[in-house]
Amino acid sequence: VNGSALYNLTDSNFNNITRLALSKKNWFIMFYAPWCPHCKRYLPTWMEMANNNTNLLNFAIVDWYYFYC
């Protein structure tokens, strides 16, 4: 995601990124819907956590609404 340590996972890159490329650290993934008020309110916190903890975990987001609805 622009300017952050978050990976934007999609159906085309999910397996490649999470299993192969960066497998040395565990993943913490937020599945969200862009229309959801709770998701919108929490996203800045998620981005802050990602930026402050890159040495511990890989952080990512998945727009589940786009890919699964």
Coordinates of all heavy atoms in Angstrom, one line a residue:
V1 N 0.9 -1.2 0.0 CA 0.0 0.0 0.0 C 0.9 1.2 0.0 O 1.9 1.2 0.7 CB -0.9 0.0 1.2 CG1 -1.8 1.2 1.3 CG2 -1.8 -1.3 1.2
N2 N 0.5 2.2 -0.6 CA 1.3 3.4 -0.8 C 1.9 3.9 0.5 O 1.2 4.2 1.4 CB 0.5 4.6 -1.5 CG 0.0 4.2 -2.9 OD1 0.6 3.4 -3.5 ND2 -1.0 4.9 -3.3
G3 N 3.2 4.0 0.5 CA 4.0 4.6 1.6 C 4.0 3.8 2.9 O 4.2 4.4 3.9
S4 N 3.6 2.5 2.8 CA 3.6 1.8 4.1 C 4.3 0.4 3.8 O 4.7 0.1 2.7 CB 2.2 1.6 4.6 OG 1.6 0.6 3.8
A5 N 4.5 -0.3 4.9 CA 5.1 -1.6 4.9 C 4.0 -2.7 4.6 O 4.3 -3.9 4.8 CB 5.8 -1.9 6.2
L6 N 2.9 -2.4 4.2 CA 1.8 -3.3 3.9 C 1.9 -3.9 2.5 O 2.2 -3.1 1.6 CB 0.4 -2.7 4.0 CG -0.2 -2.5 5.4 CD1 -1.5 -1.7 5.3 CD2 -0.4 -3.8 6.1
Y7 N 1.7 -5.2 2.4 CA 1.6 -5.8 1.1 C 0.1 -5.9 0.7 O -0.7 -6.2 1.6 CB 2.2 -7.2 1.1 CG 3.7 -7.2 1.3 CD1 4.2 -7.3 2.6 CD2 4.5 -7.2 0.3 CE1 5.6 -7.2 2.8 CE2 5.9 -7.2 0.5 CZ 6.4 -7.2 1.7 OH 7.7 -7.2 1.9
N8 N -0.2 -5.6 -0.5 CA -1.6 -5.7 -1.0 C -1.7 -7.0 -1.7 O -1.2 -7.2 -2.8 CB -1.9 -4.5 -1.9 CG -3.4 -4.5 -2.2 OD1 -4.2 -5.2 -1.6 ND2 -3.7 -3.7 -3.2
L9 N -2.3 -8.0 -1.0 CA -2.4 -9.3 -1.6 C -3.7 -9.5 -2.5 O -4.7 -9.0 -2.1 CB -2.4 -10.4 -0.5 CG -1.2 -10.4 0.4 CD1 -1.4 -11.4 1.5 CD2 0.1 -10.6 -0.3
T10 N -3.5 -10.2 -3.6 CA -4.6 -10.4 -4.5 C -4.6 -11.9 -4.8 O -3.7 -12.7 -4.4 CB -4.4 -9.7 -5.8 OG1 -3.3 -10.2 -6.5 CG2 -4.3 -8.2 -5.6
D11 N -5.6 -12.4 -5.5 CA -5.7 -13.8 -5.9 C -4.5 -14.2 -6.8 O -4.1 -15.3 -6.8 CB -7.0 -14.1 -6.5 CG -7.3 -13.3 -7.8 OD1 -6.7 -12.3 -8.0 OD2 -8.2 -13.8 -8.6
S12 N -4.0 -13.2 -7.5 CA -2.8 -13.6 -8.4 C -1.5 -13.6 -7.7 O -0.5 -14.2 -8.2 CB -2.8 -12.7 -9.6 OG -2.6 -11.3 -9.2
N13 N -1.3 -12.9 -6.6 CA 0.0 -12.9 -5.9 C 0.0 -13.5 -4.5 O 1.1 -13.6 -3.9 CB 0.5 -11.4 -5.9 CG -0.2 -10.5 -4.9 OD1 -1.1 -11.0 -4.1 ND2 0.1 -9.2 -5.0
F14 N -1.1 -13.9 -4.0 CA -1.2 -14.3 -2.6 C -0.2 -15.5 -2.3 O 0.6 -15.4 -1.4 CB -2.6 -14.8 -2.3 CG -2.8 -15.1 -0.8 CD1 -3.4 -14.1 0.0 CD2 -2.5 -16.3 -0.3 CE1 -3.6 -14.3 1.3 CE2 -2.7 -16.6 1.1 CZ -3.2 -15.6 1.9
N15 N -0.3 -16.6 -3.1 CA 0.6 -17.7 -2.8 C 2.0 -17.4 -3.1 O 2.9 -17.8 -2.3 CB 0.2 -18.9 -3.7 CG -1.1 -19.5 -3.2 OD1 -1.5 -19.5 -2.1 ND2 -1.8 -20.2 -4.1
N16 N 2.3 -16.7 -4.1 CA 3.7 -16.4 -4.4 C 4.4 -15.5 -3.3 O 5.5 -15.8 -2.9 CB 3.8 -15.7 -5.8 CG 5.3 -15.5 -6.2 OD1 6.1 -16.3 -6.0 ND2 5.6 -14.3 -6.7
I17 N 3.7 -14.5 -2.9 CA 4.2 -13.6 -1.9 C 4.3 -14.3 -0.5 O 5.3 -14.3 0.2 CB 3.5 -12.3 -1.8 CG1 3.8 -11.5 -3.1 CG2 3.9 -11.5 -0.6 CD1 3.0 -10.2 -3.2
T18 N 3.2 -14.9 -0.1 CA 3.1 -15.4 1.3 C 3.9 -16.7 1.5 O 4.4 -17.0 2.6 CB 1.7 -15.6 1.8 OG1 1.0 -16.6 0.9 CG2 1.0 -14.3 1.8
R19 N 4.0 -17.5 0.5 CA 4.6 -18.8 0.7 C 6.1 -18.9 0.2 O 6.9 -19.6 0.7 CB 3.8 -19.9 -0.1 CG 2.5 -20.1 0.6 CD 1.9 -21.3 0.0 NE 0.5 -21.5 0.6 CZ -0.4 -22.1 0.0 NH1 -0.2 -22.7 -1.1 NH2 -1.6 -22.2 0.6
L20 N 6.4 -18.1 -0.8 CA 7.7 -18.3 -1.5 C 8.7 -17.1 -1.2 O 9.7 -17.3 -0.6 CB 7.6 -18.4 -3.0 CG 6.7 -19.6 -3.4 CD1 6.6 -19.6 -4.9 CD2 7.3 -20.9 -3.0
A21 N 8.2 -15.9 -1.5 CA 9.2 -14.8 -1.5 C 9.6 -14.4 -0.1 O 10.8 -14.1 0.1 CB 8.5 -13.6 -2.3
L22 N 8.7 -14.3 0.8 CA 9.0 -13.7 2.1 C 8.6 -14.7 3.3 O 8.1 -14.2 4.3 CB 8.2 -12.4 2.3 CG 8.5 -11.4 1.2 CD1 7.4 -10.3 1.1 CD2 9.9 -10.8 1.3
S23 N 9.0 -15.9 3.1 CA 8.5 -16.9 4.1 C 9.3 -17.0 5.4 O 9.0 -17.8 6.2 CB 8.5 -18.3 3.4 OG 9.8 -18.6 3.0
K24 N 10.3 -16.1 5.6 CA 11.1 -16.2 6.8 C 10.4 -15.6 8.0 O 10.7 -16.0 9.1 CB 12.4 -15.5 6.6 CG 13.3 -16.2 5.6 CD 14.6 -15.5 5.4 CE 15.4 -16.2 4.3 NZ 16.6 -15.5 3.9
K25 N 9.4 -14.7 7.8 CA 8.6 -14.2 8.8 C 7.1 -14.6 8.7 O 6.7 -14.8 7.6 CB 8.7 -12.6 8.8 CG 10.1 -12.1 9.1 CD 10.0 -10.6 9.3 CE 10.0 -9.9 7.9 NZ 10.1 -8.5 8.0
N26 N 6.4 -14.7 9.8 CA 5.0 -15.0 9.7 C 4.2 -13.8 9.2 O 4.7 -12.7 9.2 CB 4.5 -15.3 11.1 CG 5.0 -16.7 11.6 OD1 5.2 -17.6 10.9 ND2 5.3 -16.7 12.9
W27 N 3.0 -14.1 8.7 CA 2.2 -13.1 8.1 C 1.0 -12.7 9.1 O 0.5 -13.6 9.8 CB 1.6 -13.6 6.8 CG 2.6 -13.6 5.8 CD1 3.5 -14.6 5.5 CD2 2.9 -12.5 4.9 NE1 4.3 -14.2 4.4 CE2 3.9 -13.0 4.0 CE3 2.4 -11.3 4.7 CZ2 4.5 -12.2 3.0 CZ3 2.9 -10.5 3.7 CH2 3.9 -10.9 2.9
F28 N 0.7 -11.5 9.1 CA -0.5 -10.9 9.8 C -1.3 -10.2 8.7 O -0.9 -9.2 8.2 CB 0.0 -10.0 10.9 CG -1.0 -9.8 12.0 CD1 -2.2 -10.5 12.2 CD2 -0.8 -8.8 12.9 CE1 -3.0 -10.3 13.2 CE2 -1.6 -8.5 14.0 CZ -2.8 -9.3 14.1
I29 N -2.4 -10.8 8.4 CA -3.2 -10.3 7.2 C -4.6 -9.8 7.7 O -5.3 -10.5 8.4 CB -3.4 -11.5 6.2 CG1 -2.0 -12.0 5.7 CG2 -4.2 -11.0 5.0 CD1 -2.1 -13.2 4.9
M30 N -4.9 -8.6 7.2 CA -6.2 -8.1 7.4 C -7.1 -8.2 6.2 O -6.7 -7.8 5.1 CB -6.1 -6.6 7.7 CG -7.4 -5.8 7.9 SD -7.1 -4.0 8.1 CE -8.8 -3.5 8.2
F31 N -8.2 -8.9 6.4 CA -9.2 -9.1 5.3 C -10.2 -8.0 5.5 O -10.8 -7.9 6.6 CB -9.8 -10.5 5.3 CG -8.8 -11.6 5.0 CD1 -7.9 -12.1 5.9 CD2 -8.8 -12.0 3.7 CE1 -7.0 -13.1 5.6 CE2 -7.9 -13.0 3.3 CZ -7.0 -13.5 4.3
Y32 N -10.4 -7.2 4.5 CA -11.3 -6.0 4.7 C -12.2 -5.8 3.5 O -12.0 -6.4 2.5 CB -10.5 -4.8 5.0 CG -9.9 -4.2 3.7 CD1 -10.4 -3.0 3.1 CD2 -8.7 -4.7 3.1 CE1 -9.9 -2.5 2.0 CE2 -8.2 -4.2 2.0 CZ -8.8 -3.1 1.4 OH -8.2 -2.6 0.3
A33 N -13.2 -5.0 3.7 CA -14.1 -4.5 2.7 C -14.0 -3.0 2.7 O -14.2 -2.3 3.7 CB -15.5 -4.9 2.9
P34 N -13.7 -2.4 1.5 CA -13.5 -0.9 1.5 C -14.7 -0.1 1.8 O -14.6 1.1 2.2 CB -13.1 -0.7 0.0 CG -13.3 -1.9 -0.7 CD -13.5 -3.0 0.3
W35 N -15.9 -0.7 1.8 CA -17.1 0.1 2.1 C -17.4 -0.1 3.6 O -18.3 0.7 4.1 CB -18.3 -0.5 1.3 CG -18.4 -2.0 1.4 CD1 -18.0 -2.9 0.5 CD2 -19.0 -2.8 2.5 NE1 -18.2 -4.2 0.9 CE2 -18.8 -4.1 2.1 CE3 -19.6 -2.5 3.7 CZ2 -19.3 -5.2 3.0 CZ3 -20.0 -3.5 4.5 CH2 -19.9 -4.8 4.1
C36 N -16.8 -0.9 4.3 CA -17.1 -1.2 5.8 C -16.5 -0.1 6.7 O -15.3 0.2 6.6 CB -16.4 -2.5 6.1 SG -16.5 -2.9 7.9
P37 N -17.4 0.5 7.5 CA -16.9 1.6 8.3 C -15.9 1.2 9.4 O -15.0 1.9 9.7 CB -18.2 2.1 9.0 CG -19.3 1.3 8.6 CD -18.8 0.3 7.5
H38 N -16.0 0.0 9.9 CA -15.1 -0.6 10.8 C -13.7 -0.8 10.2 O -12.7 -0.4 10.8 CB -15.6 -1.9 11.5 CG -16.9 -1.8 12.1 ND1 -17.1 -1.0 13.3 CD2 -18.1 -2.2 11.8 CE1 -18.3 -1.1 13.6 NE2 -19.0 -1.8 12.7
C39 N -13.7 -1.3 9.0 CA -12.5 -1.5 8.3 C -11.8 -0.2 8.0 O -10.6 -0.1 8.1 CB -12.7 -2.3 7.0 SG -13.4 -4.0 7.2
K40 N -12.5 0.8 7.5 CA -12.0 2.1 7.2 C -11.4 2.7 8.4 O -10.3 3.4 8.3 CB -13.0 3.0 6.6 CG -13.4 2.6 5.2 CD -14.1 3.8 4.5 CE -15.6 3.5 4.4 NZ -16.3 4.5 3.6
R41 N -12.0 2.6 9.5 CA -11.6 3.2 10.8 C -10.3 2.5 11.3 O -9.4 3.1 11.8 CB -12.7 3.2 11.8 CG -12.4 3.9 13.1 CD -13.5 4.0 14.0 NE -14.4 2.8 13.9 CZ -15.7 2.8 13.9 NH1 -16.4 4.0 13.9 NH2 -16.4 1.7 13.8
Y42 N -10.2 1.2 11.1 CA -9.1 0.4 11.6 C -7.8 0.4 10.7 O -6.7 0.2 11.1 CB -9.5 -1.0 11.8 CG -8.5 -1.9 12.5 CD1 -8.1 -1.5 13.8 CD2 -7.9 -2.9 11.9 CE1 -7.1 -2.3 14.4 CE2 -6.9 -3.7 12.5 CZ -6.5 -3.4 13.8 OH -5.6 -4.1 14.4
L43 N -8.0 0.7 9.4 CA -6.9 0.7 8.4 C -5.7 1.5 8.8 O -4.6 1.1 8.8 CB -7.4 1.0 7.0 CG -6.4 0.8 5.9 CD1 -5.8 -0.7 5.9 CD2 -7.0 1.1 4.6
P44 N -5.9 2.8 9.3 CA -4.7 3.6 9.7 C -4.0 2.9 10.9 O -2.7 3.0 10.9 CB -5.3 4.9 10.2 CG -6.6 5.0 9.4 CD -7.1 3.6 9.3
T45 N -4.7 2.3 11.8 CA -4.0 1.6 12.9 C -3.2 0.4 12.3 O -2.1 0.1 12.8 CB -5.0 1.1 13.9 OG1 -5.7 2.2 14.4 CG2 -4.4 0.3 15.1
W46 N -3.8 -0.3 11.4 CA -3.1 -1.5 10.8 C -1.8 -1.0 10.0 O -0.8 -1.7 10.1 CB -4.1 -2.2 9.8 CG -3.6 -3.5 9.3 CD1 -3.1 -3.7 8.0 CD2 -3.6 -4.7 10.0 NE1 -2.7 -5.0 7.9 CE2 -3.0 -5.7 9.1 CE3 -4.0 -5.1 11.2 CZ2 -2.9 -7.0 9.5 CZ3 -3.8 -6.4 11.6 CH2 -3.3 -7.3 10.7
M47 N -1.9 0.1 9.3 CA -0.8 0.6 8.6 C 0.3 1.0 9.6 O 1.5 0.8 9.4 CB -1.2 1.8 7.8 CG -2.1 1.4 6.6 SD -2.7 2.8 5.7 CE -1.2 3.2 4.8
E48 N -0.1 1.6 10.7 CA 0.9 2.0 11.8 C 1.6 0.8 12.4 O 2.8 0.8 12.6 CB 0.2 2.8 12.8 CG 1.2 3.3 13.9 CD 0.4 4.2 15.0 OE1 -0.7 4.6 14.8 OE2 1.0 4.3 16.1
M49 N 0.8 -0.2 12.7 CA 1.4 -1.5 13.2 C 2.4 -2.1 12.2 O 3.4 -2.5 12.6 CB 0.3 -2.5 13.5 CG -0.4 -2.2 14.7 SD -1.5 -3.6 15.3 CE -2.0 -4.4 13.9
A50 N 2.0 -2.0 10.9 CA 2.9 -2.6 9.9 C 4.2 -1.8 9.8 O 5.3 -2.4 9.7 CB 2.2 -2.6 8.5
N51 N 4.1 -0.5 9.8 CA 5.3 0.3 9.7 C 6.2 0.2 10.9 O 7.4 0.4 10.8 CB 4.9 1.8 9.5 CG 4.4 2.0 8.1 OD1 4.7 1.3 7.1 ND2 3.4 2.9 8.0
N52 N 5.6 -0.1 12.1 CA 6.4 -0.1 13.3 C 6.9 -1.5 13.7 O 7.7 -1.7 14.6 CB 5.6 0.4 14.5 CG 5.3 1.9 14.4 OD1 6.1 2.6 13.8 ND2 4.2 2.3 14.9
N53 N 6.5 -2.6 12.9 CA 6.9 -3.9 13.3 C 7.4 -4.8 12.1 O 7.2 -6.0 12.1 CB 5.6 -4.6 13.9 CG 5.2 -4.0 15.2 OD1 5.9 -4.2 16.2 ND2 4.1 -3.3 15.2
T54 N 8.0 -4.1 11.2 CA 8.5 -4.8 10.0 C 9.5 -5.9 10.3 O 9.7 -6.8 9.6 CB 9.0 -3.9 8.9 OG1 10.1 -3.1 9.5 CG2 7.9 -3.0 8.4
N55 N 10.2 -5.7 11.4 CA 11.3 -6.7 11.8 C 10.7 -7.9 12.4 O 11.3 -8.9 12.5 CB 12.3 -6.0 12.8 CG 11.6 -5.5 14.0 OD1 10.5 -5.1 14.0 ND2 12.3 -5.5 15.1
L56 N 9.4 -7.9 12.8 CA 8.8 -9.0 13.5 C 7.9 -9.8 12.6 O 7.9 -11.1 12.6 CB 7.9 -8.5 14.7 CG 8.6 -7.7 15.7 CD1 7.6 -7.2 16.7 CD2 9.7 -8.6 16.4
L57 N 7.1 -9.2 11.8 CA 6.1 -9.8 10.9 C 6.0 -9.2 9.6 O 6.3 -8.0 9.4 CB 4.7 -9.7 11.6 CG 4.5 -10.4 12.9 CD1 3.2 -9.9 13.5 CD2 4.4 -11.9 12.7
N58 N 5.4 -9.9 8.6 CA 5.0 -9.3 7.4 C 3.5 -9.0 7.5 O 2.7 -9.8 8.0 CB 5.1 -10.3 6.2 CG 6.5 -10.6 5.9 OD1 7.3 -9.7 5.7 ND2 6.9 -11.9 5.9
F59 N 3.1 -7.8 7.2 CA 1.7 -7.3 7.3 C 1.2 -7.2 5.9 O 1.9 -6.7 4.9 CB 1.7 -5.9 7.9 CG 1.8 -6.0 9.4 CD1 3.1 -6.1 10.0 CD2 0.8 -6.0 10.3 CE1 3.3 -6.2 11.3 CE2 0.9 -6.1 11.6 CZ 2.2 -6.1 12.2
A60 N -0.1 -7.5 5.7 CA -0.7 -7.5 4.4 C -2.2 -7.2 4.6 O -2.8 -7.3 5.7 CB -0.6 -8.8 3.7
I61 N -2.8 -6.7 3.5 CA -4.3 -6.6 3.5 C -4.8 -7.3 2.2 O -4.1 -7.4 1.2 CB -4.7 -5.1 3.4 CG1 -4.0 -4.3 2.3 CG2 -4.3 -4.4 4.7 CD1 -4.6 -2.9 2.1
V62 N -6.0 -7.7 2.4 CA -6.7 -8.4 1.3 C -8.1 -7.8 1.2 O -8.9 -7.7 2.2 CB -6.9 -9.9 1.5 CG1 -7.8 -10.5 0.4 CG2 -5.5 -10.6 1.5
D63 N -8.5 -7.2 0.0 CA -9.8 -6.7 -0.2 C -10.7 -7.9 -0.6 O -10.8 -8.3 -1.7 CB -9.8 -5.7 -1.4 CG -11.1 -5.1 -1.7 OD1 -12.1 -5.6 -1.1 OD2 -11.2 -4.1 -2.4
W64 N -11.2 -8.5 0.4 CA -12.0 -9.8 0.2 C -13.3 -9.5 -0.6 O -13.7 -10.3 -1.3 CB -12.3 -10.4 1.5 CG -13.4 -9.7 2.4 CD1 -13.2 -8.8 3.3 CD2 -14.8 -9.9 2.2 NE1 -14.4 -8.4 3.8 CE2 -15.4 -9.0 3.2 CE3 -15.6 -10.6 1.4 CZ2 -16.8 -8.9 3.3 CZ3 -17.0 -10.5 1.6 CH2 -17.6 -9.6 2.5
Y65 N -13.8 -8.3 -0.4 CA -15.1 -8.0 -1.2 C -14.8 -8.0 -2.7 O -15.6 -8.5 -3.4 CB -15.6 -6.6 -0.7 CG -16.9 -6.3 -1.3 CD1 -18.1 -6.9 -0.8 CD2 -17.1 -5.4 -2.3 CE1 -19.3 -6.6 -1.3 CE2 -18.3 -5.1 -2.8 CZ -19.4 -5.7 -2.3 OH -20.6 -5.4 -2.8
Y66 N -13.7 -7.4 -3.1 CA -13.4 -7.4 -4.5 C -13.2 -8.8 -5.1 O -13.7 -9.0 -6.2 CB -12.1 -6.5 -4.7 CG -11.7 -6.4 -6.2 CD1 -12.3 -5.5 -7.0 CD2 -10.7 -7.2 -6.7 CE1 -12.0 -5.4 -8.4 CE2 -10.3 -7.1 -8.0 CZ -10.9 -6.2 -8.8 OH -10.5 -6.2 -10.1
F67 N -12.5 -9.6 -4.4 CA -12.2 -10.9 -4.9 C -13.2 -12.0 -4.7 O -13.2 -13.0 -5.3 CB -10.8 -11.4 -4.4 CG -9.7 -10.5 -5.0 CD1 -9.2 -9.5 -4.2 CD2 -9.3 -10.7 -6.2 CE1 -8.2 -8.7 -4.7 CE2 -8.3 -9.9 -6.8 CZ -7.8 -8.9 -6.0
Y68 N -14.1 -11.8 -3.7 CA -14.9 -12.9 -3.3 C -16.4 -12.6 -3.4 O -17.2 -13.5 -3.0 CB -14.6 -13.4 -1.9 CG -13.1 -13.8 -1.8 CD1 -12.2 -13.1 -1.2 CD2 -12.7 -15.0 -2.5 CE1 -10.8 -13.5 -1.1 CE2 -11.4 -15.4 -2.5 CZ -10.4 -14.6 -1.8 OH -9.1 -15.0 -1.8
C69 N -16.8 -11.5 -3.8 CA -18.2 -11.2 -3.9 C -18.6 -10.8 -5.3 O -17.8 -10.5 -6.1 CB -18.6 -10.0 -3.0 SG -18.4 -10.4 -1.3

